[in-house]
Amino acid sequence: MIYMEPGTLGWEPLLQSWINTLPNSIIDQNKTVIKQMFLRFCEPLLYLIRKGGVKELSATSDSNLVRSTMNLFDCFMDDFYDTKYVTALPDLDSRAQLEGVFFFSCIWSLGGTLDTSGRDKFNLLFRGLMEKEFPIALKQQFNFPFDIPPPHKTYIFTLPGQGSVYDFRFIKEGKGRWKPWSDELSSAPAIPRDIPVNQIIVTTIETIRNMEVMMYLLTHKKPVLFIGPTGTGKSSYITSLLLHRMSKELYTPLFINFSAQTSAKQTQDIIMGKLDRRRKGVFGPPLGKQCVVFVDDVNMPMKEEYGAQPPIELLRQWLDHWQWYDLKDVSPLTLIDIQLVCAKGPTSQGGNVITPRFLRHFNTLCIDEFNDAVMISIFSKIMLWHLDTRGFSKEFDPCIEEIVLATLDIYKLSLANLLPTPAKSHYFFNLRDFARVIQGVLLSVPEAMEDLQSMKRLWVHEVLRVYYDRLVDDNDRNWLFDTLHNVCRDKLHEDMNELFSRLITTSSKIGEEELRQLIYCDFANPKADSRNYIEVLDLEHLRNVCEGYLNEFNNMTKKPMNLVLFRFAIEHLSRLCRILKQPRSHGLLVGVGGSGRQSLTRLATHISEYELFQVEISKQYGMTEWHEDIKSVLRKASSSDQHGVFLFTDSQIKEEMFLEDINNLLNSGEVPNLFPADEKADICEKMRVIDRQRDKTVQTDGSPVALYNLFVTIVRDQLHIMLAMSPIGDGFRNRIRKFPALVSCCTIDWFQAWPPDALLAVSTRFLSEITLTEFEREVCIEMCQTFHTSTQDLSDEFFVRLGRHNYVTPTSYLELINTFKELLSKKRNEVLMGKARYETGIEKLDYAAKSVGVMQENLIALQPKLVVAAGQVQEMMAKVEKESADVAKVETVVKADEAVANEQAAAAQVIKDECDARLAEAMPILNAALAALNTLTGQDIAIVRTLKSPPKGIKLVMEAVCILKDVKPDRVPDPGTGRMIDDYWGPSKRILGDLKFLESLVQFDKDHIPIRVIKQLEEKILPDENFDPDKVKTASSAAEGLCKWVLAICKYDKVAKVIAPKREALEKAQTEFSVAMAALEIKRAQLREVEEKLSKLEAVLEENKRRYANLQAEVDENTKQLQRAEELIGGLGGERERWDTTAKSLGERYFTLTGDVLLASGVVAYLGAFTLQFRMEQTKHWVQRVTELEMICSNNFSLTEILGEAVVIRQWNIFGLPSDSFSVDNAIIIKNARRFPLMIDPQGQANKWVKNMEKANNLGIIRLTQSDYGRILENAIQFGQPVLLENVGEELDAMLEPVLMQQTFKQGGALCIKLGDSIVEYNVHFRLYITTKLRNPHYLPEVAVKVSLLNFMITQVGLQDQLLGIVVAKERPDLEAEKNQLIVQGAENKRTLQEIEDKILEILSASENILEDESAVQVLSSSKTLSIEITEKQAIAEETEKSIDEARLEYTPIAIHSTVLFFSIADLANIDPMYQYSLPWFVNLFKVAIDNTEKVDDLEVRLADLTKYFTYLLYVNICRSLFEKDKLLFSLLLGVNLLKNENNLDSAEWMFLLTGGVGLTNPHPKPNDWLPALSWDEWCRLDELSHFKVT
């Protein structure tokens, strides 16, 4: 393979090869003409392009430009392939046409890439080349180093002389003719009246000629690259061309947007997804069609490691070989019937330089920035269209030119002055910004615009929204206001001060503060029928309206927002509503976390009556979940007429590919290949329904492609994307570079720091809810603002001096106020309750002391009464004894009679029981018979009675009934013998006729049946075998029942006859018993009488006894109370004075509480991330400011004194918290902060402390790298257990956000929180601790606002204490063990003493009269005894601890020395971040030094040896890890720090060595010339130091 540089090869071989491909109908003579024209024109034109001082919008190669000319020439060759056409065409005409085609092709190929000024030179040179002799003046002007030969023949038909060569198009008719492009402009259609603003395309000469050239190329399958600055309409023109001008039957378009993250795989998937399989390995569009792939922003893909851009290389492979490879089996894929159109911005506007190997395939067309005339023409037409269609009067016509010219000035001045820098990377202005200003003005309606001035005020507002809202610093903003003043004066012919006279307050000139009051919105009047975009004249009314919307929103949502709608918030709210009101508009909201971006977007969405969409990020959230969420958002946005708002924040960007999809949505309204075929078909069906409901004139053809395009169009029209991003760090700058649509397709709203009026409004609103005096409230409001602003300044200084980042955000301010409210309420309650308990205790002690004398007097008075009561009791007892004897006699007689009566009753009962037992046998039978009778009815009886000749069984039964009822028979003759016989049927019918027949049977007297009746039955009836119920049943059911009744009566009678004698005996016995009971009752009455008499006597006796007992009890109680009072006074009397002092102290503290808690809240909310020195300085400044404002606060403010508890702090120390005040303050901040702590803990101190402290509470320890950390966290939240999240980096998982923000809500009566995809019940006892080992992490505001950031780096005091403990433990383990034991014991003693005192005060407070509560006094006595014992033990322990401390302190020098060493090596990280050494490593080295140093008894010698050996050991180990160049510096650093520690180094001399001293002027003149001025000044300043002073 031989490779030749293109410059060496030249373009001539390409020309020769191409000429050979021309149609055969072109004669050789004409081919020679073509070749000579190429040779004559190309060389000078290429020289102009390369060395003539012109600028190309995109770099090209010579061969590419010549090849482009050939491509465009080919587009005119169609007719020359037609033999008939060529035959009919004269040779002269043929040559003339070929010359014209060449001229046109040359102009739009070689001259197509030049900018406006370059085209002027090109025009000049091109016209010179068309002449027979090239003008000498031009040759001299362009300084050609070669001669330009004349043409062999004069050109037949050159371009017209007037205008530019770019102003004409070539028409291939006859000899050809040149037609001005402007002729096409006159026939361009007017803007339709009902077209949306964002879809207006104003036809210009530039658009006409570019589109026409592009049509030539596309219809002849030539790849096209369209280059132009952002906002010139490249994408719109190409899209319009592909969708509307090219035949839909022949061409099918495919749109792709490239971004920095686009991959080759994505590109191949998108294109292959639109192609059909023609045959094996061959793919293309549907048969008979040509697929035109339009790739927008083709230069955006990021370069990979070796400098290539994979998506572009893929496209280049396609253009080179028309072949790709299957991504699964690597089989070749041939692509046919596809052509490529690309667009990109100029290289100067960002993006990457594309490889020439790709560009060589394209014909490049360039559209430069529109000149002023074109822009004025475009936007004047749009303004005129608006005024006309909206019905404005003619008096508004003058404003068209004024507003367009003013906008043009602002646009051009912004381009020149507001230049992008790394800190202002979004300062890219293009024609879209021009259009946005005009588009904002187009929101006007005649009803809201009274005059021209109101239209001009609207224009100023729109300029502010487009330009001012993206500015980041005061200089730029001041420049814009000055520019506005000038432009208004020059172009609008208005003085801004007069135009906005109503806004002027104190200043004489309209500036930022005044124009903040200029607000336009469409929601100021909620009751209006139509929402017009109008100027707000009453801001207070607007605030009330917004609060109404906020209340409405809070009533409708699960997540209400507690917002203060101060002016600053309302300004941004109106800006967001303006964005949402405009068609296809999106917003980029830039501000630090907590500035209100998301809250105001939610409210703006509600005000606009749109639906809000937001994704929920979880631990497992990835591209799959993201795409599902995007699908859901797109479906919802297109399912109805309601618009949607997709709110997406940079904290939700788990993968940069998310922004790739957002970029596509902003550009084209769709994410390529998002929906699989089945889901796409489903969408098309839904779109078909919507399409059929539309007007027929706008309906699609019903094809899937058209329906899906309708879906995309609806999404673009109805989905507004609001991106909330933070400007902190590199992320924002990198993202807007990679994804240009974030700036070009979005309206930017830069959320600045809250102004003073915002801080004032928020603090006023929230502090109004607290009980404070007016003076206190004013001071608190003032101090809250001071805290916020001073901490912002402190953060800047913190970064300058230490390189540490800290951010003060609006969320910090809200946190401050809420912390203050909570802490003030808590501390007030504590102080008041404590004071009340001490005062109650004192009151009870005073009451006991006063009660002693009273009780002694009572005892003396009670003694005589006690004696009298005892005598009365004795006398009454004698009477009772006498009466008791009489009662006993009567009672004996009554009892004897009762015994006799009881015997008689028992005998009667035996007889009765026996009778009942016999009757029990017959009663069931009788009852069954009666039951049978009850089943009979009158009808049954009537049937029997009406029988004329009844059966024998019936007659027999009736005869038995008659005998029982003792009814006489009739005497009738016997039919056989004639004798008279008894006949019962006649009487039977008579008794059956009785209506009460059945009732008479039921009530039959069964106990007194005559013996003869029974005897008659036994003789005549019962023996008869027919007298059987079963047999009678066959004749009559009534007869059966009567038969059963007769049988039962007979059986009952037998039993009754047997027990009759016994009944008589029973009656007799009962009679005798009644007589005996009557006699007994008389005797009982006598007994009752004597008992009542005795009872009265006993009652009197009891009363006397009770009176005596009461007196005795009163005496005893007085005696006991006297004893208790003496015990109480003896036991707690000594506490009274202390309690009294404490109560007074608490009373005084209550008055200083507001100031102290205010300062403490400031420390908790703002100063956690700062080091000790910065904290102390800031606290001192705050205390001074509070004192100046005359608010009472503690003179020596200490966070430990205000919020700390000694017992708790001691316990923390035992758990491993360093005992220095800085670490203790950190622990107090953790305890009192509302947010969970994130501790900067490079030495692991906080980690160790938390693990020990929460060990008993089942602490869960997790890391973000664990796969199951979400499950552990979920369980801990449910069961209220603590969790330690350790070793985090600079970013936290988005899944933690609801936990960190504590976004709880009520569900089913339970408190819940959403963790990822699941809802978990939230236990209020849950605690989360987060630690990082990073020494100097940079936490962005989005993270910092969610946590309480704390600097837990070890201090010198804390490290000294630890090292002292280690060295003593090694050298004197007995002392250290005893010391540790005493610390634990002391903490326990203090805790117990505190509990005892709390118990004593609680009992005193709870008891109404302590002297009456014996158990309470006993508890108090035992508690006081225990307290005394513990106090004595504690005193002994403290003495012992002092003696141990004295012994320990002898080892202090080595601890101090080692601490200096540690902080010396800690400073090495400032030289190189690699030089970082952990505390555990240092401690281990320290222990090794102690173990390896030779033991000696002399302590001083021992310490000297240790110092020397450890210093050497550390030096050797550190030097091993240092670069050679840093070892000497380390030695110097170590030596200087040790000298400083020993006070052997003069600080002034050290600073002079480092800086050369500081001085503004030198009063001493320089003595000579050879000495440099700098050296002389330093020499003079050195003289000011005492050791170097010349005497």
Side-chain angles (χ1 to χ4, degrees), residues 138-154:
L138 283 181
K139 184 177 180 182
Q140 292 172 346
Q141 179 182 342
F142 290 109
N143 196 23
F144 290 128
F146 49 82
D147 293 328
I148 300 175
H152 291 289
K153 294 181 181 180
T154 306

Side-chain angles (χ1 to χ4, degrees), residues 271 275 283-285 290-291 293 318 322 335-340:
I271 294 174
L275 301 181
F283 290 82
Q290 187 80 8
C291 180
V293 178
W318 163 29
W322 298 101
L335 307 176
I336 59 174
D337 295 337
I338 308 174
Q339 61 191 95
L340 189 60

Side-chain angles (χ1 to χ4, degrees), residues 15 19 29-42 102 149-153 155:
L15 174 63
I19 287 176
Q29 185 182 355
N30 284 345
K31 287 183 179 180
T32 303
V33 169
I34 294 170
K35 183 175 181 179
Q36 288 173 348
M37 290 178 72
F38 267 96
L39 294 171
R40 173 178 168 79
F41 276 76
C42 288
F102 173 78
H152 291 289
K153 294 181 181 180
Y155 302 127

Side-chain angles (χ1 to χ4, degrees), residues 461 519-524 532-536 542 574 577:
H461 175 266
I519 294 177
Y520 279 77
C521 67
D522 65 346
F523 56 86
N532 293 329
Y533 191 62
I534 57 174
E535 182 179 358
V536 176
L542 182 63
S574 66
C577 288

Side-chain angles (χ1 to χ4, degrees), residues 1170-1187:
F1170 292 95
T1171 53
L1172 177 62
Q1173 181 186 355
F1174 281 85
R1175 266 195 216 173
M1176 290 173 65
E1177 287 176 6
Q1178 189 74 324
T1179 307
K1180 183 179 176 183
H1181 166 66
W1182 287 350
V1183 171
Q1184 184 181 344
R1185 182 62 186 144
V1186 169
T1187 309

Side-chain angles (χ1 to χ4, degrees), residues 253-458:
L254 168 57
F255 302 98
I256 303 176
N257 281 89
F258 274 5
S259 75
Q261 292 292 320
T262 305
S263 66
K265 180 180 184 305
Q266 276 180 300
T267 307
Q268 183 166 338
D269 287 344
I270 292 169
I271 294 174
M272 294 302 295
K274 303 284 185 179
L275 301 181
D276 295 345
R277 184 173 180 271
R278 296 278 186 88
R279 57 184 181 273
K280 184 177 180 182
V282 178
F283 290 82
L287 206 59
K289 285 195 173 187
Q290 187 80 8
C291 180
V292 182
V293 178
F294 170 42
V295 181
D296 204 357
D297 290 328
V298 72
N299 60 329
M300 282 307 298
M302 212 179 336
K303 292 190 176 183
E304 42 94 276
E305 185 180 356
Y306 301 103
Q309 295 166 281
I312 290 176
E313 292 303 313
L314 184 78
L315 295 178
R316 187 180 66 77
Q317 180 186 346
W318 163 29
L319 292 173
D320 280 344
H321 309 289
W322 298 101
Q323 200 172 65
W324 281 343
Y325 292 93
D326 192 290
L327 297 176
K328 293 179 181 176
D329 58 10
V330 204
S331 59
L333 305 174
T334 302
L335 307 176
I336 59 174
D337 295 337
I338 308 174
Q339 61 191 95
L340 189 60
V341 186
C342 297
K344 76 180 191 75
T347 309
S348 60
Q349 281 195 355
N352 300 299
V353 177
I354 299 178
T355 172
R357 301 173 71 197
F358 178 64
L359 291 178
R360 73 185 180 87
H361 292 280
F362 290 90
N363 271 56
T364 305
L365 293 175
C366 292
I367 180 169
D368 198 4
E369 293 277 6
F370 293 146
N371 59 37
D372 294 357
V374 172
M375 287 195 283
I376 292 168
S377 169
I378 291 172
F379 292 108
S380 295
K381 287 179 182 177
I382 293 174
M383 281 289 294
L384 179 62
W385 167 82
H386 172 70
L387 296 180
D388 182 40
T389 56
R390 285 289 188 170
F392 281 89
S393 63
K394 290 296 179 184
E395 68 171 296
F396 284 92
D397 287 355
C399 76
I400 295 175
E401 184 181 359
E402 292 175 346
I403 284 177
V404 172
L405 289 174
T407 310
L408 180 62
D409 271 13
I410 292 287
Y411 169 66
K412 291 169 71 176
L413 289 167
S414 298
L415 280 176
N417 293 280
L418 299 175
L419 301 173
T421 66
K424 306 170 185 176
S425 52
H426 59 293
Y427 276 24
F428 282 111
F429 299 98
N430 54 54
L431 282 175
R432 288 183 181 173
D433 299 301
F434 195 127
R436 285 190 185 112
V437 174
I438 300 299
Q439 194 171 333
V441 174
L442 299 191
L443 292 172
S444 59
V445 290
E447 296 85 350
M449 295 287 134
E450 317 89 47
D451 50 25
L452 274 173
Q453 278 70 27
S454 56
M455 184 69 86
K456 292 172 183 176
R457 285 198 298 272
L458 174 61

